[in-house]
């Protein structure tokens, strides 16, 4: 195991996997939406790298099932459940106290502009936003809160929440696990030794749409929200 002793390790998925294992992974996935302060934590990259370590994670936590597929499925299922619960907490927080967030001052962990962007994303894509947001960093943190604020139907939210969480967790975790096996078997490349490059690629791919919109998209007028009634 490597030594992790820098604040930069907080952005490194391997740090959480090796230092906290299964339960810490679930907590981070939950925190990203359930506590709405986890948007700076690794999300997509954490799931992909967790897939690479899936067998080791399950073995250390519960004991191996003897099947790579079952071990990976257990990990993906646990992550999906944590993601579902996190979104539900975010949704109910939005229904109860969300409107007050629009009057809350910015802080290091909270920026109103993220809430505004999530609101625009939700209005543009409707219920499908709950599923799509799972694959977009930052947006997935605030979208369930916005869904609660606009009082999206509870059953519809739960349906889309489950679909999005299952797709997100299973796609990324299984991709990590089986791409690792593919690269090892076909090319003799151990992805565990290339994690820095993998993380960079995943971060670029998932954040590129946000970067392009920020650099080349028209400036958003967030003043329209200042006096809007979200009750």
């Amino acid at each position: 195991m490597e030594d992790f002793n820098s604040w930069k390790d907080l952005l490194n998925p391997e740090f959480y996997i090796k230092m906290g294992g299964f339960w810490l992974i679930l907590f981070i996935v939950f925190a990203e939406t359930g506590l709405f302060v986890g948007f700076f934590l690794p999300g997509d990259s954490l799931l992909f790298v967790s897939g690479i370590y899936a067998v080791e994670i399950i073995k250390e936590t519960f004991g191996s099932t003897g099947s790579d597929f079952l071990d990976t499925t257990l990990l993906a299922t646990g992550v999906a459940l944590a993601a579902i619960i996190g979104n539900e907490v975010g949704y109910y927080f939005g229904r109860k106290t969300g409107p007050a967030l629009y009057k809350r001052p910015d802080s290091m962990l909270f920026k109103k502009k993220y809430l505004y962007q999530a609101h625009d994303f939700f209005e543009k894509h409707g219920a499908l936003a709950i599923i799509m947001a799972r694959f977009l960093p930052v947006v997935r943190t605030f979208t369930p809160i916005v869904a609660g604020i606009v009082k999206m139907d509870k059953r519809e939210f739960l349906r889309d929440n489950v679909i999005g969480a299952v797709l997100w967790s299973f796609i990324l975790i299984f991709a990590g696990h089986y791409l690792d096996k593919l690269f090892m078997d076909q090319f003799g490349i151990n992805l565990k030794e290339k994690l820095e490059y993998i993380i960079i690629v995943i971060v670029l791919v998932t954040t590129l749409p946000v970067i392009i919109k920020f650099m080349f998209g028209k400036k958003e007028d967030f003043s329209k929200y200042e006096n809007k009634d979200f009750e």
Side-chain angles (χ1 to χ4, degrees), residues 57-160:
I57 292 171
I58 295 302
K59 182 178 181 181
E60 291 179 2
T61 307
F62 305 108
S64 177
T65 64
S67 166
D68 281 14
F69 177 79
L70 288 179
D71 287 343
T72 306
T73 299
L74 283 175
L75 177 61
T77 300
V79 168
L81 289 173
I84 291 169
I85 295 172
N87 256 20
E88 289 295 322
V89 171
Y91 172 81
Y92 281 101
F93 180 85
R95 286 186 69 95
K96 298 296 183 182
T97 63
L101 290 176
Y102 286 93
K103 299 178 182 179
R104 176 177 174 175
D106 285 349
S107 65
M108 183 177 69
L109 297 179
F110 175 80
K111 303 293 182 183
K112 280 192 289 187
K113 67 177 182 179
Y114 298 144
L115 194 61
Y116 298 150
Q117 289 168 353
H119 188 281
D120 284 349
F121 183 79
F122 183 85
E123 286 199 334
K124 180 178 180 180
H125 299 286
L128 186 60
I130 306 302
I131 299 173
M132 296 171 59
R134 272 293 172 195
F135 297 87
L136 295 174
V138 179
V139 173
R140 65 170 162 259
T141 300
F142 294 94
T143 296
I145 299 175
V146 170
I149 292 173
V150 301
K151 293 180 171 56
M152 178 181 179
D153 181 79
K154 296 178 182 179
R155 287 177 293 183
E156 290 183 3
F157 178 82
L158 177 60
R159 178 198 64 202
D160 297 332

Side-chain angles (χ1 to χ4, degrees), residues 22-231:
F22 181 79
W23 301 113
L24 183 56
I25 293 171
L26 297 195
F27 175 75
I28 291 173
V29 171
F30 165 79
E32 193 173 22
T33 53
L35 303 181
F36 74 91
V37 296
F39 60 87
F40 62 90
L41 296 171
D44 303 303
S45 57
L46 176 63
L47 267 60
F48 187 90
V49 176
S50 295
I52 295 177
Y53 285 96
V55 174
E56 292 94 325
I57 292 171
I58 295 302
K59 182 178 181 181
E60 291 179 2
T61 307
F62 305 108
S64 177
T65 64
S67 166
D68 281 14
F69 177 79
L70 288 179
D71 287 343
T72 306
T73 299
L74 283 175
L75 177 61
T77 300
V79 168
L81 289 173
I84 291 169
I85 295 172
N87 256 20
E88 289 295 322
V89 171
Y91 172 81
Y92 281 101
F93 180 85
R95 286 186 69 95
K96 298 296 183 182
T97 63
L101 290 176
Y102 286 93
K103 299 178 182 179
R104 176 177 174 175
D106 285 349
S107 65
M108 183 177 69
L109 297 179
F110 175 80
K111 303 293 182 183
K112 280 192 289 187
K113 67 177 182 179
Y114 298 144
L115 194 61
Y116 298 150
Q117 289 168 353
H119 188 281
D120 284 349
F121 183 79
F122 183 85
E123 286 199 334
K124 180 178 180 180
H125 299 286
L128 186 60
I130 306 302
I131 299 173
M132 296 171 59
R134 272 293 172 195
F135 297 87
L136 295 174
V138 179
V139 173
R140 65 170 162 259
T141 300
F142 294 94
T143 296
I145 299 175
V146 170
I149 292 173
V150 301
K151 293 180 171 56
M152 178 181 179
D153 181 79
K154 296 178 182 179
R155 287 177 293 183
E156 290 183 3
F157 178 82
L158 177 60
R159 178 198 64 202
D160 297 332
N161 180 20
V162 171
I163 294 173
V166 170
L167 288 175
W168 182 58
S169 60
F170 275 75
I171 287 175
L172 288 174
I173 289 176
F174 271 83
H177 182 73
Y178 285 103
L179 282 177
D180 179 48
K181 292 177 66 66
L182 176 66
F183 273 76
M184 178 62 74
D185 295 341
Q186 298 297 321
F187 310 108
I189 298 176
N190 185 353
L191 292 188
K192 292 185 179 70
E193 299 174 355
K194 310 292 183 181
L195 290 183
E196 289 185 3
Y197 301 106
I198 292 172
I199 294 169
I200 291 173
V201 170
I202 293 176
V203 170
L204 287 176
V205 170
T206 56
T207 60
L208 191 58
V210 179
I211 294 174
I212 292 176
K213 181 175 178 59
F214 176 79
M215 295 296 292
F216 303 105
K218 65 179 181 179
K219 296 295 183 180
E220 297 289 345
D221 180 17
F222 292 137
S223 63
K224 61 186 177 181
Y225 294 103
E226 296 298 332
N227 299 314
K228 188 171 182 179
D229 183 10
F230 290 96
E231 295 293 347

